[in-house]
Amino acid sequence: MALFKRKPRAEAGAAPETPTGRRPICLALQGGGAHGAFQWGVLDRLLEADALDIRAVTASSAGAMNGAALVSGLAKGGPEGGRAALDKLWRETNQSGGKNVFGDSSIWSNALTPGWLKDTAFWRAGETLALSMSPYEFNPFNLNPLKRVLDAAIDFEAVRTSEIKLFVAATAVRHAKSRVFRSEEITDQVLLASACLPHLFQAVEIEGEPYWDGGYLANPPLWPLFYEDTPDDILLITLNAFERAEAPRAAGDIVDRLNEVVFNAPLVAELRAVAFVQELIQEGRLMPSERDRYRNILMHAIEADGWLGDLSLGSKFNTEWTFLNDLKARGRAAADEWLGSCADSVGRTSSVDLQARFG
């Protein structure tokens, strides 16, 4: 079952468009490790369709990397530049961790049971080791292959000077607060901070503050879009399943589901707030003095549920090329479905019913 229930198409007039005919929109990109290749596919199809005018991107973790590559590419070469930059990001990601001495091992793993690796004693021992040692112990030199990926794939100066606003969340470790970095502040260190899983990498220090993955407190942060001069429409692209058909029983599956719940919790809280304000506006319950303080945000979503529901948490660390391309293909199919069923709602009405889920 999907998180969002689609709203019936409104009778409102024509949606606002840019001189090119594209509809203004903001993107909200959730984090989720290698599953970010699903977003790659979604964005690749949306850019190919060239029906949307992306004015702002808010993101965390892997979503932030996709967002920075997207903005960098759009600034330098329009939609085709955006597609090329995303393609380079994921090719570089594959080169950093996608092959082993046997080549692309997903050829073999696809022939076995989906959970074959997690069922091995080696995998279980690795899980135990990861919980018993910190990255300050097993990675004392603080090596992070993602830095090479980002420096190779993203033009940060293009990001900082782009007219497209980019917001990237990271979690301040000592203060337990979410910090949102804006376009002019974006560097490779900011993106590394936003994607810093504390059991794998040492905290990333920026201006004297150590940071962990932004998804712990904002995945992705929606609130920056409420207070900036950005389009009212937000297209959310999720990577973590909100619903599962069955409750987990195995220890690893329980940890997987707990992680999904934890990383979805901040987003659920923000969506509930959006649903509440939508209801106040629609029912005319705001005082005249309050009406200028609230925006009627129009929400749209391309969900991971139904597209990534068969994948485990462990697959978020799989950067082999066959797997990444499978995720990309799933993302393109999801975007194609959305373009055919919901894109016409942009500028008119929300295409998902938040009140039915959170009201």
Side-chain angles (χ1 to χ4, degrees), residues 329-353:
R330 297 185 194 207
R332 283 184 57 87
D336 202 53
E337 180 182 274
W338 183 84
L339 286 167
S341 61
C342 299
D344 285 348
S345 297
V346 175
R348 294 187 172 98
T349 184
S350 293
S351 58
V352 296
D353 194 343

Side-chain angles (χ1 to χ4, degrees), residues 3 11 102 134 143 255 269 310 313:
L3 168 68
E11 307 84 14
F102 301 107
S134 87
L143 302 176
V255 172
D310 61 319
L313 178 68

Side-chain angles (χ1 to χ4, degrees), residues 198-262:
H199 59 283
L200 294 179
F201 302 110
Q202 297 180 22
V204 177
E205 189 167 304
I206 300 174
E207 299 172 354
E209 177 68 41
Y211 289 94
W212 284 344
D213 195 297
Y216 289 114
L217 295 178
N219 197 22
L222 300 182
W223 75 85
L225 302 176
F226 305 159
Y227 304 105
E228 295 280 341
D229 182 18
T230 57
D232 291 336
D233 290 83
I234 300 175
L235 173 57
L236 171 66
I237 306 173
T238 67
L239 293 179
N240 297 313
F242 281 89
E243 298 191 4
R244 292 286 186 179
E246 298 178 355
R249 293 178 177 270
D253 293 337
I254 291 171
V255 172
D256 282 6
R257 185 56 181 155
L258 179 60
N259 274 280
E260 286 180 336
V261 172
V262 168

